[in-house]
Amino acid sequence: GNWLASHPTNDQRLSQITGIAAGYKGNFSDDARARYLQAIEGLNYGESREQGVVRGQNFFHEPLGLTLTAPAGWSFDNNPDELYIINPQGDAAVVMKLIPPNAGKTHEEILRNGFKANQGRTERNAIGGFDATYFVGQRAAEQNQAQPLEVTLINGPGGRTYAFLHAGRDAATLQRNRAALREATASFRAFAAGDRAVARPWSIRTVSMPAGGFAELARRSPLGAQAERQLKLLNGVYGGGSIAAGRPVKIVE
């Protein structure tokens, strides 16, 4: 509570940074700016191919050779060790994890050794053409306490096995979201040649500012609803100011 009360707002932080930056005097000529823009031309913006990229309701990971689609209204949260597909309320999610090779040779071994699954129902099926096992039941936790476990194991591309854990705030939340959780898991498929153009990482380019300014640039941008705000931030005019038509301006494409 106290930490939040003393935490500066974005506007306060921006004002502080602007004040500090104003203390640095120098000759920042058009030539220096042109060299800077030339140096950053083509730099990646946002997610990289190696991390996987989100485009609309789809997640593409070309190096791992996989694609997922989130249910309508759900979103992705990509972390180094796991991927979350989260519902709009933020109280249920599918958590995708890569299973280490030493966890077991079969799905039964992985469930028994890796997840401590001890009683429940197992259902074999195919997802995206890959062998899959759905388990719903219980796992043994510390002090032999039983915990609910709902997970799908999929033998994916490249001989890698993935776990899709269903997580929810409570049993009622899980039940309410079960159909969508299974839909998200069932969207798993191999990365296809046709995905490559869509999954291309964004990069920074320099163009001449059009007559319509940032609003016009935002309409052409792949950045979505926040495009105008992000483009202003990228060009150092988020806190005010403008760039005249015809002047060089950074965009994302």
Side-chain angles (χ1 to χ4, degrees):
N2 291 340
W3 181 81
L4 284 174
S6 63
H7 202 54
T9 66
N10 285 342
D11 288 341
Q12 287 170 331
R13 189 182 286 110
L14 186 64
S15 175
Q16 290 166 0
I17 292 167
T18 305
I20 292 166
Y24 290 92
K25 303 296 181 188
N27 179 21
F28 302 114
S29 64
D30 281 357
D31 182 52
R33 176 171 167 76
R35 288 202 307 273
Y36 160 70
L37 290 173
Q38 190 175 12
I40 65 167
E41 183 83 8
L43 276 181
N44 267 11
Y45 180 90
E47 303 151 315
S48 70
R49 178 181 172 275
E50 289 69 31
Q51 295 170 307
V53 300
V54 176
R55 296 290 179 262
Q57 292 301 110
N58 296 308
F59 173 79
F60 301 98
H61 202 300
E62 188 175 354
L64 292 176
L66 61 88
T67 302
L68 288 161
T69 302
W74 290 48
S75 59
F76 291 99
D77 182 8
N78 189 14
N79 293 271
D81 298 320
E82 52 207 8
L83 175 75
Y84 293 83
I85 310 174
I86 307 168
N87 74 343
Q89 294 76 30
D91 59 7
V94 174
V95 186
M96 183 185 87
K97 289 173 167 284
L98 180 61
I99 298 292
N102 62 0
K105 290 186 171 60
T106 66
H107 288 180
E108 289 73 20
E109 280 183 20
I110 293 168
L111 284 167
R112 187 171 62 248
N113 302 331
F115 289 94
K116 307 290 187 239
N118 58 10
Q119 52 181 307
R121 176 170 61 85
T122 302
E123 183 183 298
R124 298 301 295 263
N125 53 21
I127 291 177
F130 299 105
D131 288 337
T133 301
Y134 170 71
F135 174 86
V136 58
Q138 293 183 334
R139 65 184 293 270
E142 292 173 12
Q143 285 93 40
N144 291 324
Q145 294 291 313
Q147 288 182 346
L149 173 66
E150 191 167 344
V151 63
T152 299
L153 300 176
I154 304 176
N155 289 343
R160 288 177 284 263
T161 300
Y162 296 89
F164 289 78
L165 282 151
H166 292 185
R169 188 177 56 196
D170 49 40
T173 304
L174 266 180
Q175 179 59 36
R176 193 166 56 248
N177 288 276
R178 182 163 279 120
L181 291 164
R182 296 202 70 177
E183 176 193 334
T185 301
S187 74
F188 183 95
R189 65 173 175 82
F191 186 94
D195 295 326
R196 194 159 286 118
V198 187
R200 178 183 65 81
W202 292 327
S203 59
I204 295 173
R205 301 287 175 201
T206 305
V207 298
S208 294
M209 177 63 97
F214 282 107
E216 186 176 336
L217 289 176
R219 283 196 296 274
R220 311 180 204 160
S221 175
L223 295 174
Q226 295 293 313
E228 187 167 351
R229 180 178 173 276
Q230 287 179 264
L231 288 169
K232 284 182 175 179
L233 194 59
L234 183 64
N235 284 280
V237 294
Y238 177 65
S242 61
I243 295 175
R247 297 278 292 164
V249 61
K250 287 174 278 185
I251 63 163
V252 174
E253 64 176 27

